[in-house]
């Protein structure tokens, strides 16, 4: 079947590309990156504002994530001339380029929420 051949070829190419793809995905497919970029997408935000909007993130996790995102060009950090000194984070054009795939992934997650729950329940019942 032609579709199977196409899938096999795509799968083969994906496996060839893994050494190039994985390092990039490792930087954006973690627990907090999508949520941090979602907070920064509409407008810049200060550290504590981001932390408040991301219920459950620790100070250290947010600081580490923001440093990583800045290092990889997804956000910029600006020191504000306030007293006390403030820091504001802004999403970059590279960060904005993730908006479409992230929106698609979030939409898919919402559409599949019930299927995920049902699959987990069925698995748990079968195991126990």
């Amino acid at each position: 079947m032609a579709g199977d051949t196409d899938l096999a070829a795509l799968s083969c190419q994906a496996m060839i590309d893994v050494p190039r793809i994985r390092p990039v995905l490792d930087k954006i497919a973690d627990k907090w990156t999508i949520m941090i970029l979602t907070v920064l997408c509409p407008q810049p935000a200060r550290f504590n504002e981001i932390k408040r909007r991301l219920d459950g993130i620790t100070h250290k996790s947010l600081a580490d994530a923001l440093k990583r995102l800045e290092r990889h060009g997804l956000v910029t950090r600006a020191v504000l001339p306030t007293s006390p000194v403030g820091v504001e984070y802004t999403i970059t054009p590279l960060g904005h380029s993730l908006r479409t795939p992230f929106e698609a992934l979030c939409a898919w997650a919402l559409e599949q929420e019930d299927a995920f729950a049902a699959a987990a329940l069925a698995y748990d019942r079968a195991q126990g």
Side-chain angles (χ1 to χ4, degrees):
M1 189 173 207
D4 291 340
T5 302
D6 293 343
L7 288 176
L10 288 171
S11 179
C12 184
Q13 185 60 50
M15 293 308 297
I16 291 168
D17 292 338
V18 163
R20 294 177 50 214
I21 294 169
R22 185 173 178 182
V24 175
L25 292 181
D26 285 347
K27 307 303 183 282
I28 61 169
D30 62 62
K31 184 174 181 177
W32 294 110
T33 296
I34 293 173
M35 300 310 298
I36 292 168
L37 294 177
T38 299
V39 168
L40 294 175
C41 193
Q43 64 188 28
R46 292 174 75 155
F47 184 93
N48 285 330
E49 180 183 351
I50 299 168
K51 189 172 183 304
R52 273 192 303 276
R53 293 192 56 198
L54 297 176
D55 186 39
I57 193 168
T58 65
H59 184 92
K60 181 178 179 351
S61 292
L62 180 56
D64 290 348
L66 287 167
K67 285 177 189 173
R68 187 180 64 255
L69 294 172
E70 183 181 11
R71 180 173 185 253
H72 294 289
L74 298 171
V75 302
T76 58
R77 177 182 183 272
V79 177
L80 304 174
T82 58
S83 181
V85 173
V87 176
E88 184 175 74
Y89 294 89
T90 305
I91 195 168
T92 65
L94 181 60
H96 269 292
S97 72
L98 287 167
R99 181 177 175 193
T100 299
F102 280 178
E103 285 175 350
L105 183 59
C106 289
W108 179 86
L110 289 172
E111 290 169 8
Q112 303 306 323
E113 180 180 21
D114 292 340
F116 261 58
L121 185 60
Y123 178 88
D124 293 345
R125 284 183 180 152
Q127 298 300 311

